[in-house]
Amino acid sequence: MTLSWPTLREAARGPVVTYALIVGCAVVFVLGPASGLNPVYGTGERLVAAGTAYFRRWGVVPDELLTGSGRAALTPLTALFVHGSWLHLLGNGLFLYVFGAMAEERMGRIRFLAFYVTTGYLALAAYAAANASSDQTLVGASGAISAVLGAFLCLFPKARVTSLFPFLFFVPLRFPAWIVLLFWFGLQWLAAQRAGSGPGVAYLAHVVGFSVGFLYAWVRYRRTTRVRRPATATEGDSQP
């Protein structure tokens, strides 16, 4: 699999759910305050205040999720489409594009969508349960994408990924997929550091998502023949 934008005809035959999820996250981010592109939210202190209110409305707030209303119970779903920074969005979208396409092809569109939403919800809910007294918001698709990465590693254990790492001057190098997955977790840590006072990026949600995704793929597909041919993907990464 190569990292090239598909034509409309190719997209219709390809991993439609993966493409739709990426586009959905991008649209939500651009329209939200974190992108800085929507003039509705203003600038300066007004933008900061609008961002805080926006994340609290659509993100997961642990103490509200565990003790709140029915609306709070839906926030792990809405939070899957909300991101706190350009780095957060680009990192998630890139890894979902590279690894989600093959996972969707293996699972099928409907099952992959259900898998993505369910694991994303569980990852965010697990973080909330472990931090019941926290009032910090949590947003992003990182938990769901971690589940996709876990499933990918189980389904394609011998996969090798050609990556374009920016700190290596974008020289294409091939690595085992698990090395690129380590880079994913490093990118999430960097996004958390860059977020500052914004919404949180929780490692527990990543660990839960990855574990649930791997276990699901192992239980669901262990009795079927796993893909034995070396899967190849191409990944590029750009940072703001």
Side-chain angles (χ1 to χ4, degrees), residues 87 90-92 94-95 98-99 145-146 149 161-168 170 173 175-192 203 206 210 234-240:
L87 180 62
L90 293 174
N92 279 354
L94 177 63
F95 277 80
V98 172
F99 294 97
I145 297 174
S146 294
L149 301 185
V161 179
T162 301
S163 299
L164 301 177
F165 288 103
F167 50 81
L168 294 178
F170 297 96
L173 300 173
F175 298 96
W178 65 268
I179 291 182
V180 181
L181 300 186
L182 291 179
F183 175 69
W184 151 260
F185 282 100
L187 185 65
Q188 294 302 303
W189 176 85
L190 180 60
Y203 272 108
H206 302 165
F210 185 90
T234 299
E235 175 198 343
D237 179 39
S238 58
Q239 298 186 22

Side-chain angles (χ1 to χ4, degrees), residues 108-127:
R109 293 174 179 175
I110 301 301
R111 183 176 286 114
F112 178 76
L113 178 60
F115 166 83
Y116 182 91
V117 172
T118 302
T119 55
Y121 191 104
L122 290 175
L124 291 171
Y127 170 83

Side-chain angles (χ1 to χ4, degrees), residues 139-161:
V139 300
S142 301
I145 297 174
S146 294
V148 172
L149 301 185
F152 182 94
L153 188 61
C154 182
L155 294 172
F156 306 98
K158 297 182 179 181
R160 295 182 67 85
V161 179

